[in-house]
Amino acid sequence: MGGIIAIGGGFPGEDNYMLANHIIGLTGKENPNFLQIPTTSFDNRDAGTMSCFFNNGCNVDLLQLTGTDISEDKIAEKIRRADIIHVPGGNLRYVMTVWEKTHTDKYLKEAFAQGKLLFGTSSGAMCWFEEGYDDCGKNGEMMFVKCLGLHPYCCAPHYDSDFWHSFTEDIKTRSVSGLALENDAAICFIDDERYILTSKKRTDARCFLLDKDRNFERIDLTADTEELKKLI
């Protein structure tokens, strides 16, 4: 299976380069193919991240899905060529609607099965899991969105923000456990390994499990490495 690096937020500047170096190293390739899919941001590219991977030796490409000239063959071709796939932050409900309509979801699941590395921040972190918790409801209300389901969790980013702390109670209405990610923290699912990365500026950033089998008890995965290793 492929790898997923889900980032709660942050990692600016030199931390972005640190993250890029780590992800590139996981591919085992000197010049891997990097693909950004910025559907979350209505096809507005994250030029900073693209530049970061380009400057670190990647072959960089972009897949924009809202144009009239996009075809399923082109979507499949770009995703199949990629070693690393990046999704920026933005609107989770919108991206899942577009991916389903264009069959991009099918090719991303195929990419994961083929061992490619998938990563992103905020909505670009949530999209890989069973569900995400985002402020894309009516009038910016929080809502749950069905996602790709590559790992059986409901994910919420920015958990150190008071606005996102409603996840602590709202997750109790779901049938899967929750993953709550603070800014400057990333949870990594790489083969059978589970670990957390933090930015250099905030090494105390945390990721939490809200475990449905224990009445959604909140477990600090950054401190409890044994619980971290048990994640599916």
Side-chain angles (χ1 to χ4, degrees):
M1 290 296 178
I4 292 173
I5 295 180
I7 307 158
F11 282 86
E14 66 178 48
D15 284 320
N16 203 7
Y17 274 88
M18 178 269 290
L19 189 65
N21 283 326
H22 181 78
I23 292 170
I24 291 167
L26 291 172
T27 70
K29 296 183 178 182
E30 187 172 344
N31 303 110
N33 295 323
F34 169 93
L35 176 66
Q36 183 178 105
I37 309 178
T39 324
T40 45
S41 55
F42 304 95
D43 272 351
N44 292 306
R45 71 184 71 192
D46 177 353
T49 299
M50 291 183 74
S51 176
C52 183
F53 278 83
F54 176 80
N55 291 335
N56 277 280
C58 289
N59 306 301
V60 171
D61 198 3
L62 184 70
L63 175 57
Q64 294 170 305
L65 297 171
T66 56
T68 57
D69 59 342
I70 194 66
S71 68
E72 187 170 342
D73 286 344
K74 178 62 70 174
I75 292 167
E77 176 190 344
K78 284 179 176 276
I79 291 176
R80 287 170 176 166
R81 187 167 60 233
D83 301 299
I84 301 166
I85 297 172
H86 171 241
V87 178
N91 188 303
L92 185 62
R93 180 169 61 172
Y94 177 75
V95 67
M96 298 315 304
T97 299
V98 173
W99 282 0
E100 182 178 12
K101 180 179 178 181
T102 59
H103 306 295
T104 302
D105 53 356
K106 176 176 75 172
Y107 296 106
L108 288 171
K109 290 176 183 178
E110 176 188 278
F112 181 69
Q114 292 173 346
K116 299 177 188 291
L117 284 164
L118 316 173
F119 85 102
T121 301
S122 190
S123 293
M126 294 185 275
C127 62
W128 315 115
F129 295 97
E130 186 70 30
E131 293 181 329
Y133 183 72
D134 198 17
D135 59 345
C136 53
K138 186 178 180 180
N139 299 319
E141 294 175 355
M142 304 303 296
M143 65 176 292
F144 291 96
V145 179
K146 182 173 175 56
C147 298
L148 291 181
L150 304 181
H151 284 297
Y153 299 101
C154 179
C155 182
H158 313 303
Y159 191 60
D160 40 349
S161 164
D162 289 342
F163 187 67
W164 251 268
H165 254 264
S166 54
F167 183 66
T168 305
E169 288 300 317
D170 288 352
I171 185 62
K172 295 176 182 178
T173 67
R174 314 314 290 171
S175 60
V176 293
S177 296
L179 291 175
L181 318 177
E182 292 187 345
N183 291 328
D184 295 295
I187 191 162
C188 307
F189 294 74
I190 307 298
D191 298 324
D192 293 329
E193 194 175 359
R194 307 288 181 260
Y195 58 93
I196 292 169
L197 295 174
T198 61
S199 71
K200 291 180 181 179
K201 75 171 187 177
R202 192 177 160 215
T203 56
D204 62 343
R206 298 171 295 174
C207 297
F208 297 91
L209 171 69
L210 288 85
D211 188 354
K212 71 177 179 65
D213 293 328
R214 286 180 272 189
N215 197 29
F216 294 96
E217 175 187 349
R218 193 176 74 168
I219 300 162
D220 185 348
L221 295 172
T222 316
D224 195 333
T225 56
E226 289 306 311
E227 289 292 338
L228 178 61
K229 291 175 184 177
K230 293 177 185 176
L231 294 181
I232 299 171

Coordinates of all heavy atoms in Angstrom, one line a residue, residues 71-138:
S71 N -9.9 15.4 -19.4 CA -10.5 14.1 -19.8 C -10.1 13.1 -18.8 O -9.1 13.2 -18.1 CB -10.0 13.7 -21.2 OG -8.6 13.4 -21.2
E72 N -10.8 12.0 -18.7 CA -10.5 10.9 -17.8 C -9.2 10.3 -18.1 O -8.4 9.9 -17.2 CB -11.6 9.9 -17.7 CG -11.4 8.8 -16.6 CD -12.6 7.9 -16.4 OE1 -13.7 8.3 -16.8 OE2 -12.3 6.9 -15.8
D73 N -8.9 10.2 -19.4 CA -7.6 9.6 -19.8 C -6.4 10.5 -19.3 O -5.4 10.0 -18.9 CB -7.5 9.5 -21.4 CG -8.4 8.4 -21.9 OD1 -8.8 7.5 -21.1 OD2 -8.6 8.4 -23.1
K74 N -6.6 11.8 -19.4 CA -5.5 12.7 -18.9 C -5.4 12.6 -17.4 O -4.2 12.6 -16.9 CB -5.8 14.2 -19.3 CG -4.8 15.2 -18.8 CD -3.4 14.9 -19.4 CE -3.4 15.2 -20.9 NZ -2.0 15.1 -21.5
I75 N -6.5 12.5 -16.7 CA -6.4 12.4 -15.2 C -5.7 11.1 -14.9 O -4.8 11.1 -14.0 CB -7.9 12.3 -14.6 CG1 -8.5 13.7 -14.8 CG2 -7.8 11.9 -13.2 CD1 -10.0 13.7 -14.5
A76 N -6.0 10.0 -15.5 CA -5.4 8.7 -15.2 C -3.9 8.8 -15.6 O -3.0 8.3 -14.8 CB -6.0 7.6 -16.0
E77 N -3.5 9.4 -16.7 CA -2.2 9.5 -17.1 C -1.3 10.2 -16.1 O -0.2 9.8 -15.7 CB -2.1 10.2 -18.5 CG -0.7 10.4 -19.0 CD -0.6 11.3 -20.2 OE1 -1.7 11.5 -20.8 OE2 0.4 11.9 -20.5
K78 N -1.8 11.4 -15.6 CA -1.0 12.2 -14.7 C -0.8 11.5 -13.3 O 0.2 11.5 -12.8 CB -1.7 13.6 -14.5 CG -1.4 14.5 -15.7 CD -2.1 15.9 -15.5 CE -1.8 16.9 -16.6 NZ -0.6 17.6 -16.4
I79 N -1.9 10.9 -12.8 CA -1.9 10.3 -11.5 C -1.0 9.0 -11.6 O -0.2 8.8 -10.7 CB -3.3 9.9 -11.0 CG1 -4.0 11.2 -10.7 CG2 -3.2 9.0 -9.8 CD1 -5.5 11.0 -10.3
R80 N -1.1 8.3 -12.7 CA -0.2 7.1 -12.8 C 1.2 7.4 -13.0 O 2.1 6.6 -12.6 CB -0.8 6.2 -14.0 CG -2.1 5.5 -13.7 CD -2.7 4.9 -14.9 NE -3.9 4.2 -14.5 CZ -4.8 3.7 -15.4 NH1 -4.7 4.0 -16.7 NH2 -5.9 3.1 -15.0
R81 N 1.6 8.5 -13.5 CA 3.0 8.9 -13.7 C 3.6 9.4 -12.4 O 4.8 9.4 -12.2 CB 3.1 10.0 -14.8 CG 4.5 10.3 -15.2 CD 4.5 11.2 -16.4 NE 3.8 12.4 -16.3 CZ 2.9 12.8 -17.1 NH1 2.5 12.1 -18.1 NH2 2.3 14.0 -16.9
A82 N 2.8 9.9 -11.4 CA 3.3 10.5 -10.2 C 3.8 9.5 -9.2 O 3.3 8.4 -9.1 CB 2.2 11.3 -9.6
D83 N 4.9 9.9 -8.5 CA 5.4 9.2 -7.3 C 4.9 9.8 -6.0 O 4.6 9.1 -5.0 CB 6.9 9.2 -7.3 CG 7.5 8.6 -8.5 OD1 7.3 7.4 -8.8 OD2 8.3 9.3 -9.3
I84 N 4.7 11.1 -6.1 CA 4.2 11.9 -4.9 C 3.0 12.7 -5.4 O 3.0 13.4 -6.4 CB 5.3 12.9 -4.4 CG1 6.6 12.1 -4.0 CG2 4.8 13.7 -3.3 CD1 7.8 13.0 -3.9
I85 N 1.9 12.7 -4.6 CA 0.7 13.4 -5.0 C 0.4 14.3 -3.8 O 0.2 13.9 -2.7 CB -0.5 12.5 -5.3 CG1 -0.1 11.6 -6.5 CG2 -1.8 13.3 -5.5 CD1 -1.1 10.5 -6.8
H86 N 0.2 15.6 -4.1 CA 0.0 16.7 -3.1 C -1.4 17.3 -3.3 O -1.7 17.7 -4.5 CB 1.1 17.7 -3.2 CG 0.8 18.9 -2.3 ND1 0.6 20.2 -2.9 CD2 0.6 19.0 -1.0 CE1 0.4 21.0 -1.9 NE2 0.3 20.4 -0.7
V87 N -2.2 17.5 -2.2 CA -3.4 18.2 -2.3 C -3.4 19.3 -1.2 O -3.2 19.0 0.0 CB -4.6 17.2 -2.0 CG1 -5.9 18.0 -2.0 CG2 -4.7 16.1 -3.0
P88 N -3.5 20.6 -1.7 CA -3.4 21.7 -0.7 C -4.7 21.7 0.1 O -5.7 21.0 0.0 CB -3.3 22.9 -1.6 CG -3.0 22.4 -3.0 CD -3.6 21.0 -3.0
G89 N -4.7 22.7 1.0 CA -5.9 23.0 1.8 C -7.0 23.7 1.1 O -6.8 24.3 0.0
G90 N -8.2 23.7 1.6 CA -9.3 24.4 0.9 C -10.7 23.8 1.4 O -10.9 23.5 2.5
N91 N -11.6 23.6 0.4 CA -12.9 23.2 0.7 C -13.1 21.6 0.5 O -13.0 21.2 -0.7 CB -13.9 23.9 -0.3 CG -15.4 23.7 0.1 OD1 -15.8 22.6 0.1 ND2 -16.1 24.8 0.3
L92 N -13.3 20.9 1.5 CA -13.4 19.5 1.5 C -14.6 19.0 0.7 O -14.5 18.0 -0.1 CB -13.3 18.9 2.9 CG -13.2 17.4 3.0 CD1 -11.9 16.8 2.4 CD2 -13.3 16.9 4.4
R93 N -15.7 19.5 0.9 CA -16.9 19.1 0.3 C -16.8 19.3 -1.3 O -17.2 18.4 -2.0 CB -18.2 19.8 0.8 CG -19.5 19.4 0.1 CD -20.7 19.9 0.8 NE -20.7 21.4 0.8 CZ -21.8 22.1 1.2 NH1 -22.9 21.5 1.7 NH2 -21.8 23.4 1.2
Y94 N -16.2 20.4 -1.7 CA -16.1 20.7 -3.1 C -15.2 19.7 -3.8 O -15.5 19.1 -4.8 CB -15.5 22.1 -3.3 CG -15.3 22.4 -4.7 CD1 -16.3 22.7 -5.6 CD2 -14.0 22.5 -5.2 CE1 -16.1 23.0 -6.9 CE2 -13.7 22.8 -6.6 CZ -14.8 23.1 -7.4 OH -14.5 23.4 -8.7
V95 N -14.0 19.4 -3.1 CA -13.0 18.5 -3.7 C -13.6 17.1 -3.9 O -13.4 16.4 -4.9 CB -11.7 18.5 -3.0 CG1 -11.8 17.9 -1.6 CG2 -10.6 17.7 -3.8
M96 N -14.3 16.6 -2.9 CA -14.9 15.3 -3.0 C -15.9 15.2 -4.1 O -16.1 14.1 -4.8 CB -15.4 14.8 -1.6 CG -14.3 14.7 -0.5 SD -12.8 13.9 -1.0 CE -13.3 12.3 -1.6
T97 N -16.7 16.2 -4.2 CA -17.7 16.3 -5.3 C -17.1 16.2 -6.7 O -17.5 15.4 -7.5 CB -18.6 17.5 -5.2 OG1 -19.3 17.5 -3.9 CG2 -19.6 17.6 -6.3
V98 N -16.0 17.0 -6.9 CA -15.4 17.1 -8.2 C -14.6 15.8 -8.5 O -14.7 15.2 -9.6 CB -14.4 18.3 -8.2 CG1 -13.6 18.2 -9.5 CG2 -15.2 19.6 -8.2
W99 N -14.0 15.2 -7.5 CA -13.3 13.9 -7.7 C -14.2 12.8 -8.1 O -13.9 12.0 -8.9 CB -12.5 13.6 -6.4 CG -11.2 14.4 -6.2 CD1 -10.7 15.3 -7.0 CD2 -10.3 14.3 -5.1 NE1 -9.6 15.8 -6.5 CE2 -9.3 15.2 -5.4 CE3 -10.3 13.5 -4.0 CZ2 -8.2 15.4 -4.5 CZ3 -9.2 13.6 -3.1 CH2 -8.2 14.6 -3.4
E100 N -15.4 12.8 -7.4 CA -16.3 11.7 -7.8 C -16.9 12.0 -9.2 O -17.0 11.0 -10.0 CB -17.5 11.7 -6.8 CG -18.5 10.6 -7.1 CD -19.6 10.6 -6.0 OE1 -19.8 11.6 -5.3 OE2 -20.4 9.6 -6.1
K101 N -17.2 13.2 -9.5 CA -17.7 13.5 -10.9 C -16.7 13.2 -12.0 O -17.1 12.7 -13.1 CB -18.1 15.0 -10.9 CG -18.7 15.4 -12.2 CD -19.0 16.9 -12.2 CE -19.6 17.4 -13.5 NZ -19.9 18.8 -13.5
T102 N -15.4 13.4 -11.8 CA -14.4 13.2 -12.8 C -13.7 11.9 -12.7 O -12.8 11.6 -13.5 CB -13.3 14.3 -12.7 OG1 -12.7 14.2 -11.3 CG2 -13.9 15.7 -12.9
H103 N -14.1 11.0 -11.7 CA -13.5 9.7 -11.5 C -12.0 9.8 -11.0 O -11.3 8.8 -11.0 CB -13.6 8.8 -12.7 CG -15.0 8.7 -13.2 ND1 -16.0 8.1 -12.5 CD2 -15.5 9.1 -14.4 CE1 -17.1 8.1 -13.2 NE2 -16.9 8.7 -14.4
T104 N -11.6 11.0 -10.6 CA -10.3 11.2 -10.0 C -10.2 10.3 -8.7 O -9.1 9.8 -8.4 CB -10.1 12.6 -9.6 OG1 -10.2 13.4 -10.8 CG2 -8.7 12.9 -9.1
D105 N -11.3 10.1 -8.0 CA -11.2 9.3 -6.7 C -10.8 7.9 -7.1 O -10.0 7.3 -6.3 CB -12.6 9.3 -6.0 CG -13.8 9.0 -6.9 OD1 -13.6 8.8 -8.1 OD2 -14.9 8.9 -6.3
K106 N -11.2 7.4 -8.2 CA -10.9 6.0 -8.6 C -9.4 5.9 -8.8 O -8.7 4.9 -8.3 CB -11.6 5.6 -9.8 CG -11.3 4.2 -10.4 CD -12.1 3.9 -11.6 CE -11.7 4.6 -12.8 NZ -12.4 4.2 -14.1
Y107 N -8.8 6.9 -9.5 CA -7.4 6.8 -9.8 C -6.5 7.1 -8.6 O -5.4 6.6 -8.5 CB -7.1 7.7 -11.0 CG -7.8 7.3 -12.2 CD1 -8.9 8.0 -12.7 CD2 -7.4 6.1 -12.9 CE1 -9.6 7.5 -13.8 CE2 -8.1 5.6 -14.0 CZ -9.2 6.4 -14.4 OH -9.9 5.9 -15.5
L108 N -7.0 7.9 -7.6 CA -6.2 8.1 -6.4 C -6.2 6.8 -5.5 O -5.2 6.5 -4.9 CB -6.8 9.3 -5.6 CG -6.5 10.7 -6.3 CD1 -7.3 11.7 -5.6 CD2 -5.0 11.0 -6.2
K109 N -7.3 6.1 -5.5 CA -7.3 4.8 -4.8 C -6.4 3.9 -5.5 O -5.7 3.1 -4.8 CB -8.8 4.3 -4.7 CG -9.7 5.1 -3.8 CD -11.1 4.6 -3.9 CE -12.1 5.4 -3.1 NZ -13.5 4.9 -3.2
E110 N -6.4 3.9 -6.8 CA -5.4 3.0 -7.5 C -4.0 3.4 -7.2 O -3.1 2.5 -7.0 CB -5.7 3.2 -9.0 CG -4.7 2.4 -9.9 CD -4.9 2.8 -11.4 OE1 -5.8 2.2 -12.0 OE2 -4.2 3.6 -11.9
A111 N -3.7 4.7 -7.1 CA -2.4 5.2 -6.8 C -1.9 4.7 -5.4 O -0.8 4.3 -5.2 CB -2.3 6.7 -6.8
F112 N -2.8 4.8 -4.4 CA -2.5 4.3 -3.1 C -2.2 2.8 -3.1 O -1.2 2.3 -2.5 CB -3.7 4.6 -2.2 CG -3.5 4.1 -0.7 CD1 -2.6 4.8 0.1 CD2 -4.2 3.1 -0.2 CE1 -2.4 4.4 1.4 CE2 -4.0 2.7 1.1 CZ -3.1 3.3 1.9
A113 N -3.0 2.0 -3.8 CA -2.8 0.6 -3.9 C -1.4 0.2 -4.6 O -0.8 -0.8 -4.3 CB -3.9 -0.1 -4.7
Q114 N -1.0 1.1 -5.4 CA 0.3 0.9 -6.1 C 1.5 1.5 -5.4 O 2.6 1.4 -5.9 CB 0.2 1.6 -7.5 CG -0.7 0.9 -8.5 CD -0.9 1.7 -9.8 OE1 -0.5 2.8 -9.9 NE2 -1.5 1.0 -10.7
G115 N 1.3 2.0 -4.2 CA 2.4 2.4 -3.3 C 2.9 3.8 -3.4 O 3.9 4.2 -3.0
K116 N 2.1 4.7 -4.0 CA 2.5 6.1 -4.2 C 2.3 6.8 -2.9 O 1.5 6.4 -2.0 CB 1.7 6.8 -5.3 CG 1.9 6.1 -6.7 CD 1.0 6.8 -7.7 CE 1.1 6.0 -9.0 NZ 2.4 6.1 -9.7
L117 N 3.0 8.0 -2.7 CA 2.9 8.8 -1.5 C 1.9 9.9 -1.7 O 2.0 10.7 -2.7 CB 4.3 9.4 -1.2 CG 5.3 8.4 -0.6 CD1 6.7 8.9 -0.7 CD2 4.9 8.1 0.8
L118 N 1.0 10.0 -0.8 CA -0.1 11.0 -0.8 C 0.0 11.9 0.4 O 0.1 11.4 1.5 CB -1.4 10.3 -0.8 CG -1.6 9.0 -1.7 CD1 -2.9 8.4 -1.5 CD2 -1.4 9.4 -3.2
F119 N 0.0 13.2 0.2 CA 0.1 14.1 1.3 C -0.7 15.4 1.1 O -1.0 15.8 -0.1 CB 1.5 14.3 1.7 CG 2.2 15.5 0.9 CD1 2.4 16.7 1.5 CD2 2.7 15.3 -0.4 CE1 3.0 17.7 0.8 CE2 3.3 16.3 -1.0 CZ 3.5 17.5 -0.5
G120 N -0.9 16.1 2.2 CA -1.6 17.4 2.1 C -1.8 18.0 3.4 O -1.7 17.3 4.5
T121 N -2.3 19.2 3.4 CA -2.6 20.0 4.6 C -4.0 20.3 4.7 O -4.7 20.6 3.7 CB -1.7 21.3 4.6 OG1 -0.4 21.0 4.5 CG2 -2.0 22.1 5.9
S122 N -4.6 20.2 5.9 CA -6.0 20.6 6.2 C -6.9 19.7 5.3 O -7.0 18.5 5.5 CB -6.2 22.1 5.9 OG -7.5 22.5 6.4
S123 N -7.7 20.3 4.4 CA -8.5 19.4 3.5 C -7.7 18.4 2.7 O -8.2 17.3 2.4 CB -9.3 20.3 2.5 OG -10.3 21.1 3.2
G124 N -6.5 18.8 2.4 CA -5.5 17.9 1.7 C -5.0 16.8 2.6 O -4.4 15.8 2.2
A125 N -5.3 16.9 3.9 CA -5.0 15.8 4.9 C -6.2 14.9 5.1 O -6.1 13.7 5.1 CB -4.5 16.4 6.2
M126 N -7.4 15.6 5.2 CA -8.6 14.9 5.5 C -9.1 14.0 4.4 O -9.7 12.9 4.6 CB -9.7 15.9 5.8 CG -9.5 16.7 7.1 SD -11.0 17.7 7.5 CE -10.6 19.2 6.5
C127 N -8.8 14.4 3.2 CA -9.4 13.7 2.0 C -9.1 12.2 1.9 O -9.8 11.5 1.2 CB -9.0 14.5 0.7 SG -7.3 14.5 0.4
W128 N -7.9 11.8 2.5 CA -7.5 10.4 2.3 C -8.3 9.5 3.2 O -8.3 8.2 3.0 CB -6.0 10.3 2.6 CG -5.2 11.4 2.0 CD1 -4.5 12.4 2.6 CD2 -5.0 11.6 0.6 NE1 -3.9 13.2 1.7 CE2 -4.2 12.8 0.4 CE3 -5.5 11.0 -0.6 CZ2 -3.8 13.3 -0.8 CZ3 -5.1 11.5 -1.8 CH2 -4.3 12.6 -1.9
F129 N -8.9 10.0 4.3 CA -9.5 9.1 5.3 C -11.0 8.8 5.0 O -11.5 9.2 4.0 CB -9.3 9.8 6.7 CG -7.9 9.9 7.1 CD1 -7.2 11.1 6.9 CD2 -7.2 8.8 7.7 CE1 -5.9 11.2 7.3 CE2 -5.9 8.9 8.0 CZ -5.2 10.1 7.8
E130 N -11.6 8.1 5.9 CA -13.0 7.7 5.7 C -13.9 8.9 5.7 O -14.8 9.0 4.9 CB -13.4 6.8 6.8 CG -14.8 6.2 6.7 CD -15.0 5.2 5.5 OE1 -14.0 4.5 5.2 OE2 -16.0 5.1 4.9
E131 N -13.6 9.8 6.6 CA -14.4 11.1 6.7 C -13.4 12.2 7.1 O -12.4 12.0 7.6 CB -15.5 11.0 7.7 CG -16.6 10.0 7.4 CD -17.7 10.0 8.5 OE1 -17.3 10.2 9.7 OE2 -18.8 9.8 8.2
G132 N -13.9 13.5 6.8 CA -13.2 14.7 7.2 C -14.2 15.6 7.9 O -15.5 15.5 7.7
Y133 N -13.7 16.5 8.7 CA -14.6 17.4 9.5 C -14.1 18.8 9.1 O -13.0 19.3 9.5 CB -14.3 17.1 11.0 CG -15.1 18.0 12.0 CD1 -16.5 17.8 12.1 CD2 -14.5 18.9 12.8 CE1 -17.2 18.5 13.0 CE2 -15.3 19.7 13.7 CZ -16.6 19.5 13.8 OH -17.3 20.2 14.7
D134 N -15.0 19.5 8.4 CA -14.5 20.8 7.8 C -15.6 21.8 7.9 O -16.8 21.6 8.1 CB -14.2 20.5 6.3 CG -13.4 21.6 5.7 OD1 -12.7 22.4 6.4 OD2 -13.3 21.7 4.4
D135 N -15.2 23.1 7.8 CA -16.1 24.2 7.9 C -16.7 24.6 6.5 O -16.7 25.8 6.1 CB -15.4 25.4 8.5 CG -14.2 25.9 7.7 OD1 -13.7 25.2 6.8 OD2 -13.7 27.0 8.0
C136 N -17.2 23.6 5.8 CA -17.7 23.8 4.4 C -19.2 23.7 4.4 O -19.8 23.5 3.3 CB -17.0 22.9 3.4 SG -17.0 21.2 3.9
G137 N -19.8 23.7 5.5 CA -21.3 23.6 5.6 C -21.9 25.0 5.3 O -21.2 26.0 5.0
K138 N -23.2 25.1 5.4 CA -23.9 26.3 5.1 C -23.5 27.4 6.1 O -23.3 27.2 7.3 CB -25.4 26.1 5.3 CG -26.3 27.3 4.9 CD -27.8 27.0 5.0 CE -28.6 28.2 4.7 NZ -30.1 27.9 4.8

